[in-house]
Each structure stands twice: as structure tokens, then as C-alpha cells.
Amino acid sequence: MTSRSDDIEVPSVEHAENGSAAPRPPTGRAQAGRDAVARPTLWSERADMAESAVVSRHLRALWALPGTELGVVGWPATRRERVFGAWHYWWQAHLIECATDAANRAPTPVRRRRIAALARSHRIRNITGWTNRYYDDMAWLAIALERAERTQGADVRSALAALEKQLHDGWQPQVGGGLPWRVGSDYFNAPANGPAAIALLRLGRVQRAEEMADWLDATLRDPETGLILDGIHLPSGEIERPVFTYCQGVALGLEAELAVQTGDPKHTERVHRLLAAIEEHMTTDGVVAGGGGGDGGLFNGILARYLALVAVMLPGEDPEQVADRRAAAAIVTASATAAWGNRLQVEGEPLFGHDWSKPAQLPGGSAGAGYFTSGGSVTSSKVPGRDLSVQLSGWLLMEAAYQVSAAGL
């Protein structure tokens, strides 16, 4: 049912065809040098604009408490969303990650304060502290807070201790390993085990992270496509076969970081194999294909984040590793160029679409908001671009494009 008071009138909306083209290829050494300098600046400016759009449309104080800031999950927002009756734990974790991206790219006191406010607000809104019953949620938050602490000095040590204990102790060797997606569940999936392994690796639990990487590769890699499947029921062994972009992303990132930490060539080989599968099955003309709203609004952005990590971090100077770094960077850049070219400009700020290869759509109001399913996932809004998840993916993608361009890729 449409609430007239929740609708908005947007005076200035246009498809942003100007500036949608990728930088022209260099025509000589001088042009190549100028482009090498210009591209990071270009993507930094676009990341700034993506950040500004999320801040202006989605961020507000939690329950009018001073020193708080949290992401409203829809724009335009319903009354329930505005008062954080719906807030979506794991979306907020990615908001912290994006805020950390921005602070690392261009540090300012405002950005550092925002990270602290978002972390504090997350704990307050979660009511019971830092943890919950969902291992995937806790893994995403652990990744975000560890990085905020390591790169921006955020005071989150107690949070990380609580999250690390849950993620480490949730491993279940009695059924052959794996972390369930939720406490008490028989379903063990890539969206829990991938980010949990990344978090534990960054927290110094290298052996457990290796165990989890080996488990993912042995249990959920599809021998036909090379992609990572969603999950498995244990001990029955029934596999759920959908493939999602974020499952590929976390597996890529985990293997690339393990390659750095351990030097074991099996990890670079797994990156090579999975990257080829992603190029074949999950891109069209070099752009990450498809996309959705609700929880799915974050899936492609997560893949872009870890493609950028592969591009910047994958070790090795053999032709295969050099080619893999370039291929990962190329997908990020092509996707970011497409997403930027297909954005809407709403009152001077970008609004990204859920499918980066298609023009974004303007939400007409708060009608058709997403909702929780009985299984605990969040559905898409009627216009997916209304969802904070979709806009975070766009911001995340712009930050990823900056990272690969700043690395000269």
C-alpha cells in the first residue's frame, strides 16, 4: 500500500551519458603518462560522489542518539526503516567497509569519525552486543572491523575478540568440517565459510583459514564449471547448486591472501582456475553479469572487492600470475565503467542500478519495499536501486576501480 507521505518529488533526474565513457586509450608515451595519472583521480572522484550519495540519502543518527550513524536500508524510506525497525546487520558491515575504503583512499577526520560512529551504532542497534546467531553476518562484521582497526586505528578490539571466538569455535569437524550459516543449522555454505576464513586469516588463525579453504575447494567447487556452489547439508551431503557472484568473490580473496601468507602454489592455482570460470560464466563483455536487490544487491559488489584484491595482492611474476592480476583488474574497470555510465544523476548525485550493464531506475516512493523471508534473507524492493545494498555495491565498485587504477592496472 502506497503511503503518500513517503513519496518524494525529484526535481532533477537524468541518465548520466556525459562522462560514461571509459578513458580513451593512450596515443603515445605522453598520453599514456597523462592517463596513468588521470585514471586514479577519475575513480577517486567517482568514489567520492558514490560516498556522498549514500551519506546524504541513507545515513542518519540511530534513535536520535548523539555520536551515532547508521544506514537506512531504503531510499525513499518507509517509517519502519527510518526508525531502524529494519536495519540488516550484514549490510551495515559493508557500509563500514565502504567507509574504511574512503578513509584509506583520502583520510579526513570526518571519515575517521564516521567509522567509529558506524561501529558504535552497530553494537547499540544489535541490542545484545556484537554477535548474533548467523555466522555469515558475524564474519562480514569481523572483516569490516578488523580492517577498520588495522588501517584506521578504530577501537574495536573487544568486538573482534568476541567475533573471532564465535567464528573459530563454530567449526564442526564431527561432520567433516565446515561452519554452518546459522547456529544449529545443518546447512554449511560458502557465504559463511568464505568470509569467516578471511576474517580468521587476518586475525592470525592461518591454519584454520587453510582448513576452511581446503574444505570449500573440496566440497563446494563444481567440477563442471569450476565455480563455487552455494552450500551443502550435513551430514546428509545434499548440495544446493545455485551459484552466486559473492561466493566466487570470497573464495578468490581467501585463496589470494593464503597465497601471500603461506607461499603454497595451490592457492595461486585455485585463483587462476576460479578466475577463468568467473570470466567464462559470470561476465558479459568483461562486465559482471546480472544482479539483484535486497541481499542480492551486495553480491556483485563483493565480487568486485575481491577481484580488486586479487589484482593488487596476488603474488608471483610468472606470466600466469601477471595475466591473472590484469584479468581481475580488467573486470573491475569494465564493470565500474558500465555502472557509472548507466547511473542516474539525482539532484547531482549518482544512483546506481542493480544490473551494471543496464540503465538505473528511479524508485517512485517507498511502496514495494523489501522484506524478510521465512529463511532469514531480505528480498529486493520493487525497484532494486531503492535498496541500500545496491548503492553500497556501486560505492564499493568505485572504490575497487580506484584501487586497481592506483596500482597501475
Side-chain angles (χ1 to χ4, degrees):
M1 180 174 179
T2 301
S3 170
R4 186 177 299 275
S5 65
D6 285 336
D7 289 340
I8 62 164
E9 181 180 345
V10 179
S12 175
V13 181
E14 60 185 36
H15 275 285
E17 296 175 288
N18 294 334
S20 64
R24 294 181 180 180
T27 56
R29 288 185 182 179
Q31 183 62 46
R34 284 194 293 272
D35 284 352
V37 173
R39 286 179 67 241
T41 301
L42 174 71
W43 290 117
S44 184
E45 290 171 351
R46 292 176 176 180
D48 278 345
M49 286 186 272
E51 175 193 26
S52 177
V54 169
V55 169
S56 64
R57 294 184 190 130
H58 291 274
L59 266 60
R60 62 185 294 153
L62 171 64
W63 302 330
L65 295 171
T68 63
E69 206 166 22
L70 208 61
V72 177
V73 298
W75 178 82
T78 64
R79 289 187 181 90
R80 183 168 184 266
E81 291 167 344
R82 282 198 297 269
V83 299
F84 298 104
W87 73 294
H88 311 334
Y89 182 115
W90 82 286
W91 295 18
Q92 307 293 333
H94 286 281
L95 175 56
I96 295 171
E97 277 252 76
C98 286
T100 302
D101 281 336
N104 289 344
R105 174 173 50 81
T108 68
V110 168
R111 283 173 168 151
R112 285 193 289 272
R113 286 195 298 270
R114 177 170 295 130
I115 293 167
L118 290 170
R120 176 172 180 263
S121 304
H122 197 289
R123 179 184 56 78
I124 294 170
R125 179 56 187 84
N126 197 47
I127 308 296
T128 57
W130 294 105
T131 63
N132 69 6
R133 293 177 55 82
Y134 293 83
Y135 287 108
D136 54 348
D137 280 3
M138 291 188 285
W140 292 120
L141 184 60
I143 289 173
L145 294 181
E146 187 280 333
R147 190 157 159 260
E149 179 192 57
R150 172 166 43 90
T151 65
Q152 290 296 317
D155 183 11
V156 292
R157 179 46 44 187
S158 63
L160 289 173
L163 293 164
E164 179 182 353
K165 177 174 172 51
Q166 292 293 319
L167 297 175
H168 186 268
D169 294 353
W171 182 255
Q172 298 195 13
Q174 68 273 21
V175 292
L179 190 71
W181 78 285
R182 181 173 64 185
V183 174
S185 175
D186 76 339
Y187 192 53
F188 294 68
N189 64 359
N193 284 270
I198 292 170
L200 290 171
L201 179 60
R202 293 178 182 180
L203 290 166
R205 303 275 195 165
V206 179
Q207 182 177 347
R208 175 54 51 81
E210 277 226 89
E211 288 180 290
M212 297 175 89
D214 290 345
W215 181 89
L216 278 168
D217 188 69
T219 309
L220 295 181
R221 180 172 59 85
D222 180 8
E224 294 182 9
T225 64
L227 295 171
I228 301 296
L229 302 173
D230 189 59
I232 184 170
H233 294 271
L234 294 174
S236 72
E238 177 190 356
I239 291 180
E240 301 281 355
R241 301 191 63 82
V243 290
F244 300 110
T245 46
Y246 74 148
C247 297
Q248 322 315 313
V250 293
L252 273 179
L254 173 59
E255 297 292 355
E257 292 201 36
L258 281 168
V260 173
Q261 289 268 10
T262 69
D264 190 329
K266 74 180 179 184
H267 299 299
T268 53
E269 176 53 35
R270 288 175 185 171
V271 169
H272 177 73
R273 185 179 61 203
L274 182 54
L275 186 57
I278 291 166
E279 287 185 285
E280 180 179 357
H281 298 289
M282 294 196 142
T283 66
T284 302
D285 297 327
V287 175
V288 176
D295 283 341
L298 277 162
F299 291 1
N300 288 357
I302 290 168
L303 174 57
R305 176 181 296 285
Y306 291 107
L307 283 166
L309 185 148
V310 168
V312 172
M313 180 180 284
L314 185 70
E317 295 304 323
D318 290 345
E320 185 175 278
Q321 283 96 58
V322 172
D324 285 344
R325 289 195 293 269
R326 290 175 176 166
I331 297 171
V332 171
T333 303
S335 298
T337 300
W340 188 260
N342 283 308
R343 78 198 187 282
L344 283 174
Q345 284 290 107
V346 183
E347 296 186 334
E349 293 184 322
L351 181 83
F352 296 102
H354 63 289
D355 183 334
W356 294 331
S357 66
K358 297 178 181 178
Q361 294 178 278
L362 180 71
S366 62
Y371 58 88
F372 274 110
T373 68
S374 57
S377 60
V378 180
T379 66
S380 173
S381 292
K382 183 178 180 181
V383 176
R386 178 186 173 277
D387 296 336
L388 172 62
S389 57
V390 173
Q391 302 312 312
L392 288 176
S393 261
W395 179 6
L396 195 161
L397 178 61
M398 297 302 119
E399 298 284 0
Y402 167 77
Q403 290 163 20
V404 299
S405 65
L409 296 164

